[in-house]
Amino acid sequence: MPLDPNAESRYDRTRLRQWAHGRARSAGVERRDLLKLFAAGAVAAGPLGLAAGGTATAADTTAADAAASGAAPQPGIVKALPPELFTVRGTNAETNFAALRGTGQLTPVDRFFVRNHTATPRIDADSWRLKIWGSGLAGGPVEFTYDRLRSLPSVERTLFIECAGNGRSFYTTQQGQQVSGTAWTLGAIGVARWRGVRLSDVLRLAGVTRRAVDVLPRGLDAEVLANGVNLGRVRRPLPVSKALDDVLLAYEMNGEPLPPDHGAPVRVVVPDWIGISSIKWVGDIEVSDEPLYSPWNTDLYRLFGPDQPAGGSAPLTRQTLKSAFELEPGATVPVYRTRLLTGRSWSAAAPVHRVEVSTDGGARWQRARLHDAPRRGGWVRWSLPWTPRATGATALLARATDATGRTQPETAAYNTQGYLFDAVVRHPVLVV
Ligand SMILES: Nc1nc2c(c(=O)[nH]1)N[C@H]1C(S)=C(S)[C@@H](COP(=O)(O)O)O[C@H]1N2
Ligand SMILES: [Mo]
């Protein structure tokens, strides 16, 4: 049964109230530690990319520590990160959009962004086990081997994974606002063809009951340390309704076994929801008959700030909509020469069916030609020929509208951690 967004937010608001009143168990982290982090972070957002207030992620801490010690930050990423394909940001690697020019609907693995809270672990598929356990099951824990998972009926789906902080740096560069977290431009997104099993099939085999409320997948990567607090392993609860709806346990990406950096041997893929939901290197899943909390749905991945609900928003679920040019920022282009501008637009709410482009800083807009059938879960590639007629610095803008009628706004709603940036981005170019 599809989950409507209102049901999602009703669900999360209830959880939030329960947590605030101390009625929910906070799965491995002391509630007072979370409150400490939460209180510090909500008020003290520091400069981009540095350890900021209490809400710095391990990535920020690592980058800041490395900078302080004079050593270059060393991302714990296995695949090659050539500078033409990626921009390294702490423990993470951002896809350079220009490197997608000429590629298809799917992001090739060699240029798919990596967001690691710590480092990519190497896990042997033969000794790997997935343990399903908790009060929401009819019986005791159930373990699945890799071969057992692969023997279950498989499904294949083309879906994007996008970090909640994608576009974060534009809060600062376009809106003059300070936000904490990794200073992504627009490349913390990738679209892949995922093959795996339905989480619902696995949960049913494990004996999920009608009492189950929350499902908490946990990664096998290292515990995350932030400002002296051990947040434990990366984990974020999902409402059981979403877990039983369309979530995958994926073991293949673009037709190949899942690569180490993207969660080998098995990761969770949660369609439409912010990237943190899609837990990599999953090792166990708690199924609980009471609400669960982790730092990733309490002080992190919620909206805080003067324009947000008092005490913060409900935990974030769906991603938003965006557009990006497949062009280097600040590219030099010759005057009077026609070139084809290309890019991509995507929305987590509905297919993108209209993209407009402005080549004069936003004064006039033209419809771009779409090269993909609008489809939920993926992006549309688009193009527009452009003949610059004056020299000098200018900005290219692209603006998407999805089938719900939502269009990218001029400014994004400020929040201290810079999540869900959705405004039109000004892409600088120099005409010579
Ligand atoms: N175990 C684990 N899962 C994780 C993370 C992580 O650090 N550890 N990062 C999350 C975040 S914040 C994002 S945006 C996506 C990124 O997926 P990718 O690295 O395959 O692009 O993975 C999510 N799953
Ligand atoms: Mo993320």
Side-chain angles (χ1 to χ4, degrees), residues 112-115 117 163 221 234 262 267 275 278 280-281 301:
F112 200 104
F113 87 103
V114 182
R115 164 58 173 126
H117 282 73
C163 190
D221 42 340
V234 178
H262 300 289
R267 82 175 300 166
S278 293
K280 304 193 277 188
W281 315 293
Y301 301 100

Side-chain angles (χ1 to χ4, degrees), residues 396-414:
L396 304 174
L397 286 71
R399 177 169 78 189
T401 301
D402 71 24
T404 68
R406 223 175 120 221
T407 298
Q408 289 183 254
E410 271 177 35
T411 52
Y414 170 73

Side-chain angles (χ1 to χ4, degrees), residues 105-107 112 156-162 189-194 246-248 253-254 269-272 278 375-379:
Q105 167 72 208
L106 304 182
T107 310
F112 200 104
E156 209 176 17
R157 290 198 57 191
T158 298
L159 296 166
F160 67 72
I161 289 181
E162 182 182 16
I189 176 162
V191 174
R193 191 144 182 82
W194 309 97
D246 58 359
V247 177
L248 296 184
M253 181 179 183
N254 295 349
V269 176
V270 181
D272 304 324
S278 293
R375 200 183 57 76
R376 175 97 171 268
W379 43 22

Side-chain angles (χ1 to χ4, degrees), residues 11-196:
Y11 175 91
D12 286 325
R13 275 180 203 291
T14 316
R15 287 293 173 285
L16 198 60
R17 254 192 328 267
Q18 288 165 326
W19 180 74
H21 292 100
R23 282 205 297 273
R25 191 158 54 82
S26 71
V29 185
E30 288 296 318
R31 190 170 162 272
R32 79 185 123 78
D33 281 343
L34 281 180
L35 287 168
K36 206 163 66 193
L37 275 175
F38 172 65
V43 291
L48 267 176
L50 295 175
T55 59
T57 63
D60 306 321
T61 309
T62 306
D65 290 351
S69 70
Q74 200 53 56
I77 293 174
V78 171
K79 68 184 174 187
L81 303 173
E84 58 289 4
L85 302 187
F86 291 105
T87 302
V88 173
R89 303 192 188 282
T91 54
N92 316 297
E94 174 169 354
T95 302
N96 292 340
F97 248 93
L100 296 183
R101 207 159 44 210
T103 67
Q105 167 72 208
L106 304 182
T107 310
V109 169
D110 71 356
R111 53 205 78 186
F112 200 104
F113 87 103
V114 182
R115 164 58 173 126
N116 280 351
H117 282 73
T118 60
T120 296
R122 300 307 292 257
I123 297 163
D124 169 39
D126 292 333
S127 48
W128 174 87
R129 298 285 182 277
L130 175 63
K131 182 175 163 188
I132 318 278
W133 59 282
S135 57
L137 298 185
V142 178
E143 282 196 355
F144 290 82
T145 63
Y146 185 70
D147 287 345
R148 171 93 197 281
L149 270 197
R150 294 218 58 143
S151 72
L152 298 176
S154 73
V155 285
E156 209 176 17
R157 290 198 57 191
T158 298
L159 296 166
F160 67 72
I161 289 181
E162 182 182 16
C163 190
N166 195 24
R168 175 182 284 130
S169 66
F170 299 108
Y171 278 106
T172 305
T173 56
Q174 290 197 171
Q175 304 188 181
Q177 294 158 337
Q178 292 294 304
V179 289
S180 60
T182 305
W184 305 109
T185 58
L186 287 170
I189 176 162
V191 174
R193 191 144 182 82
W194 309 97
R195 179 191 285 283

Side-chain angles (χ1 to χ4, degrees), residues 211-247:
R211 292 190 316 275
V213 168
D214 277 357
V215 168
L216 182 73
R218 181 162 53 168
L220 291 167
D221 42 340
E223 295 182 331
V224 179
L225 297 173
N227 296 345
V229 176
N230 184 347
L231 303 181
R233 291 195 153 144
V234 178
R235 66 205 182 286
R236 189 181 203 251
L238 281 170
V240 74
S241 52
K242 180 69 174 173
L244 292 177
D245 178 23
D246 58 359
V247 177

